[in-house]
Amino acid sequence: MANSVISLEKLKFWKWQPQSEEQWAMNMKLLRATGLFAGSILLMRNFGDLMAV
């Protein structure tokens, strides 16, 4: 069995990250942009031939 070592710094970062309003707003913007990007890729892969002129 491998020893799993969890860094204390990672735990501190995770505990602080959701509680900060500025970081939460930035994370939501980043998540929204990533979702829009991924959605547009899926849309073009599935229906791109219908959009061609």
Side-chain angles (χ1 to χ4, degrees), residues 43-53:
L43 182 78
M44 288 303 290
R45 286 183 62 99
N46 290 328
F47 302 107
D49 54 343
L50 297 175
M51 294 181 197
V53 177

Side-chain angles (χ1 to χ4, degrees), residues 2-17:
N3 293 334
S4 62
V5 178
I6 298 174
S7 172
L8 188 59
E9 292 298 320
K10 287 183 181 180
L11 290 177
K12 284 182 183 178
F13 175 75
W14 178 250
K15 186 176 180 182
W16 170 79
Q17 188 77 12

Side-chain angles (χ1 to χ4, degrees), residues 16-28:
W16 170 79
Q17 188 77 12
Q19 295 175 356
S20 173
E21 290 294 325
E22 293 174 355
Q23 289 296 324
W24 184 252
M26 184 64 185
N27 287 341
M28 284 306 294

